[in-house]
Amino acid sequence: TDTNRTVDLARARGASVLAIVNRRGTELSIKADGVMYTSDGRDVEMSVASTKAFYAQVAAGALYACALSSALSKSTDKSADKARHELLAGLRTIPDALVEVLATRPAIAAAAKQFASARRYWTVVGNGMNTIAAQEVRIKLSELCYKSISSDTTEDKKHIDLSCEPLIFVCASGLLEGTASDVAKEIAIYRAHKALPIVVATAGQHRFDAAAAVLLVPHVESSLAFILSVMVGHLFGYEAALAIDALARPLREAREVIEHAVERGGDANILLTKIRAELGVPATRFTDALATGNYDGNLEASTAVRIVTMLRDTLSSDPVQAYQRTSGKIASPELLLDDLTSALTRGVDELTRPVDAIKHQAKTVTVGISRSDEGLFDRPLVKALLEAGVARDRLSYRVLKIVADLDAAVSSVTGFTRYQIEGDIAGNTATITIVDRGGMSKNLASRVDRNSHLVGTKRRVASDQEVLVARGRSDNRTVIMVPETKSGETTGITLLHVMFHDRLAATAMRAVLQGYDRRYDRLVDWVTETEGSFREDRLAEVAVADLLILPISEMADHWRSR
């Protein structure tokens, strides 16, 4: 529309219009006084500044220039005849020269792979006819590599923004001797300012030793040599886009590990275990490349930090708890996997350069996962905790799951005491106060009423942020202490007074011990150290409270050979 409007304005003022068009029957071809078509009807693109349209329009413009020059020149003007002959003869050599440039694609790809990620900021420069090449290459590099790229004349660049240490793509093909020397000096200045100049030069030029890389093109007529700079720039942009896109491969592989596991469905805890087993390889590849600077030019610092943090938490021995401490959120396996996938997707999006394909759309990982907190809130022990006034957002997933696992061991909850904690726990200056009581706790005296300093087992619970089953030394009452946390800090403790079942079936008791403090594994290790084997059936013979509270060394005595 803007082109057609310009033609209308020109014609209204008496101008003649000659058009270069790649599609017959367009509005412009009807408005123009003369038309040169650059397409034979195949592979026609409309409203797109394509690379082949650029080359075709350069050729068409040269033919128009020769025709106009011939029409206007005098028959005795031998210099004009010579210039037209050299230009047209040179134009005939361009297709073969472009084929030669295509043959150098491996060298161009190697330079793109080496340097595309080395600098965040890019610019393209040229002088004379190469200024036209610089402007065209800037467009294609921006389109392919998703970067905001400037274009300058070679000699002006040193006065503008060398302080940002950019990658500078220098279009310098076809330069004559004096100009080539001047450009070589400019390139040396670029390099002295720690910029990274990549130069396109005509074969045989040896002046550009200061460049990070020199990409050579064949000799052609000097006024047409800029076309070869353009083609090298186009190929460099394509290969650079592929090189940047390849950086996303470890992140895509890590995300696929999650997606494949989720597609099969199942319990979130089990899925998380499977995912952690397969995530290590792509995670290591990413972190190694990150450490060597491969991502400096294309991945945002905040994104890199987020991905590294999520991978570190996921691969830790206790991923949900690690993520909760890092994020300050009430974590669960679903939330961890969701946030990990989100972080990976953000990194993939920043690195993806869809030269040949549509961007991958991330899936929602919660599809196919059985929520891990399903069935937890209907446990009587968990209900008693919430009924005591504990806010759901103060219970970490880990704490919630341990309380739910202990439920099978509890016959009744007889009371509760809720404490508020303030101050520096690590520095031993924290205080504790009672905020609420219920059931039998209302009639009990508390040490906290006399001394508000946080000490003893309550300090241990607040510091470790772990559930603790204990027995009073003076009154022999059994209790469960549950930490309340917010943003990684302990804000309170809820103490539940409980009565335990006397005995449980061996399988039920094993499940309880596996859920609380790894007591089952620790007990098995202790017993097998001296006995050689562990008889699980004896779990049914020992008091539940003893199994949960007594030191492992004492519990192991029940398994000694009789």
Side-chain angles (χ1 to χ4, degrees):
T1 300
D2 54 350
T3 303
N4 290 330
R5 177 59 178 155
T6 302
V7 169
D8 290 338
L9 291 172
R11 289 178 61 84
R13 287 161 175 75
S16 297
V17 176
L18 298 177
I20 300 173
V21 181
N22 74 334
R23 182 170 176 265
R24 299 179 187 277
T26 62
E27 189 173 355
L28 179 57
S29 66
I30 297 171
K31 290 176 180 290
D33 297 294
V35 180
M36 184 185 298
Y37 291 103
T38 60
S39 171
D40 61 2
R42 296 177 300 163
D43 203 19
V44 175
E45 296 174 84
M46 295 178 289
S47 302
V48 176
S50 64
T51 52
K52 50 185 166 290
F54 174 83
Y55 298 121
Q57 287 183 89
V58 168
L63 294 177
Y64 264 141
C66 289
L68 289 169
S69 173
S70 178
L72 293 172
S73 67
K74 298 177 182 179
S75 58
T76 57
D77 190 351
K78 300 298 182 181
S79 61
D81 289 342
K82 181 182 178 183
R84 285 193 296 272
H85 172 75
E86 290 176 351
L87 179 61
L88 294 172
L91 202 60
R92 288 180 176 273
T93 68
I94 292 298
D96 290 337
L98 293 177
V99 171
E100 289 186 51
V101 173
L102 277 174
T104 68
R105 181 175 170 181
I108 297 172
K113 186 175 181 180
Q114 181 178 358
F115 299 116
S117 299
R119 295 288 192 274
R120 183 169 294 274
Y121 304 106
W122 296 6
T123 189
V124 187
V125 299
N127 63 330
M129 296 295 285
N130 274 301
T131 304
I132 299 170
Q135 292 169 350
E136 169 64 15
V137 171
R138 181 194 73 83
I139 293 172
K140 288 305 171 187
L141 285 181
S142 299
E143 288 178 351
L144 288 166
C145 298
Y146 292 10
K147 286 182 174 289
S148 178
I149 300 173
S150 64
S151 175
D152 289 304
T153 56
T154 306
E155 56 271 22
D156 287 344
K157 182 62 184 174
K158 64 177 179 289
H159 301 299
I160 304 173
D161 57 359
L162 279 180
S163 59
C164 69
E165 302 178 10
L167 181 152
I168 305 178
F169 191 90
V170 184
C171 299
S173 59
L175 299 183
L176 300 178
E177 289 301 310
T179 306
S181 296
D182 291 340
V183 170
K185 293 176 183 177
E186 300 295 333
I187 291 170
I189 293 172
Y190 299 163
R191 199 63 187 270
H193 284 79
K194 298 182 180 180
L196 200 65
I198 298 174
V199 181
V200 182
T202 301
Q205 282 283 7
H206 302 291
R207 301 173 183 271
F208 306 122
D209 295 338
V214 178
L215 305 174
L216 299 176
V217 297
H219 286 274
V220 294
E221 206 279 324
S222 60
S223 63
L224 296 172
F226 76 96
I227 298 175
L228 304 187
S229 289
V230 173
M231 183 166 220
V232 173
H234 285 165
L235 290 172
F236 182 87
Y238 183 83
E239 297 294 345
L242 293 179
I244 295 170
D245 190 83
L247 294 173
R249 192 169 296 132
L251 303 182
R252 291 192 186 101
E253 291 174 356
R255 190 172 62 181
E256 286 171 3
V257 168
I258 301 171
E259 290 175 348
H260 291 163
V262 169
E263 285 172 357
R264 293 191 291 268
D267 178 81
N269 285 297
I270 298 174
L271 289 181
L272 182 56
T273 301
K274 293 179 179 177
I275 288 167
R276 291 174 64 241
E278 300 179 26
L279 199 60
V281 173
T284 299
R285 286 176 53 207
F286 170 73
T287 53
D288 287 350
L290 187 67
T292 56
N294 288 3
Y295 290 91
D296 290 355
N298 299 285
L299 194 65
E300 294 296 333
S302 60
T303 303
V305 170
R306 184 181 176 193
I307 293 171
V308 169
T309 302
M310 291 300 309
L311 289 173
R312 181 195 64 204
D313 290 346
T314 304
L315 293 172
S316 67
S317 58
D318 191 345
V320 176
Q321 187 72 1
Y323 180 52
Q324 178 162 307
R325 289 175 178 171
T326 301
S327 66
K329 300 178 181 179
I330 299 299
S332 65
E334 302 89 0
L335 180 61
L336 173 60
L337 293 178
D338 246 342
D339 285 358
L340 173 58
T341 303
S342 176
L344 293 171
T345 298
R346 180 172 162 182
V348 169
D349 285 345
E350 288 182 13
L351 297 170
T352 294
R353 302 296 184 267
V355 176
D356 297 315
I358 298 173
K359 278 188 178 181
H360 177 86
Q361 297 297 320
K363 300 175 183 177
T364 303
V365 302
T366 49
V367 175
I369 295 182
S370 300
R371 290 190 59 82
S372 58
D373 57 8
E374 288 179 359
L376 297 186
F377 291 104
D378 59 358
R379 307 286 177 89
L381 192 59
V382 175
K383 287 183 178 180
L385 193 62
L386 298 176
E387 288 170 0
V390 183
R392 168 64 186 93
D393 62 0
R394 299 297 174 95
L395 297 174
S396 70
Y397 172 77
R398 176 183 174 84
V399 165
L400 190 65
K401 191 172 185 305
I402 291 172
V403 173
D405 287 337
L406 286 171
D407 178 74
V410 176
S411 60
S412 64
V413 177
T414 58
F416 69 87
T417 304
R418 291 196 61 222
Y419 300 93
Q420 179 178 321
I421 295 174
E422 296 177 317
D424 184 5
I425 297 173
N428 290 321
T429 60
T431 59
I432 181 170
T433 55
I434 296 174
V435 295
D436 196 11
R437 292 182 174 187
M440 66 171 292
S441 177
K442 292 181 178 181
N443 302 318
L444 296 177
S446 173
R447 182 200 58 79
V448 173
D449 294 328
R450 303 187 304 274
N451 180 7
S452 63
H453 190 56
L454 180 63
V455 295
T457 54
K458 294 183 181 65
R459 183 186 181 282
R460 173 183 161 194
V461 171
S463 177
D464 295 347
Q465 296 182 348
E466 297 282 358
V467 175
L468 179 67
V469 181
R471 179 186 283 128
R473 286 188 294 177
S474 58
D475 55 20
N476 217 35
R477 294 188 178 93
T478 49
V479 297
I480 299 175
M481 298 185 193
V482 181
E484 301 176 29
T485 58
K486 182 179 181 180
S487 301
E489 300 293 329
T490 303
T491 60
I493 293 174
T494 294
L495 184 150
L496 296 177
H497 292 272
V498 298
M499 298 291 292
F500 289 110
H501 293 291
D502 183 41
R503 300 286 193 277
L504 283 180
T507 54
M509 195 65 236
R510 172 178 176 170
V512 172
L513 294 177
Q514 285 176 327
Y516 173 64
D517 197 27
R518 294 182 56 250
R519 286 183 72 85
Y520 179 80
D521 293 336
R522 292 163 56 205
L523 179 60
V524 170
D525 289 342
W526 194 283
V527 171
T528 55
E529 181 74 22
T530 57
E531 304 302 313
S533 62
F534 180 80
R535 285 188 53 187
E536 188 173 304
D537 60 300
R538 288 189 178 175
L539 290 172
E541 302 172 4
V542 185
V544 170
D546 289 345
L547 285 167
L548 290 170
I549 298 171
L550 291 180
I552 296 296
S553 57
E554 291 186 32
M555 293 308 309
D557 290 342
H558 292 277
W559 275 263
R560 285 192 175 176
S561 301
R562 299 173 182 176

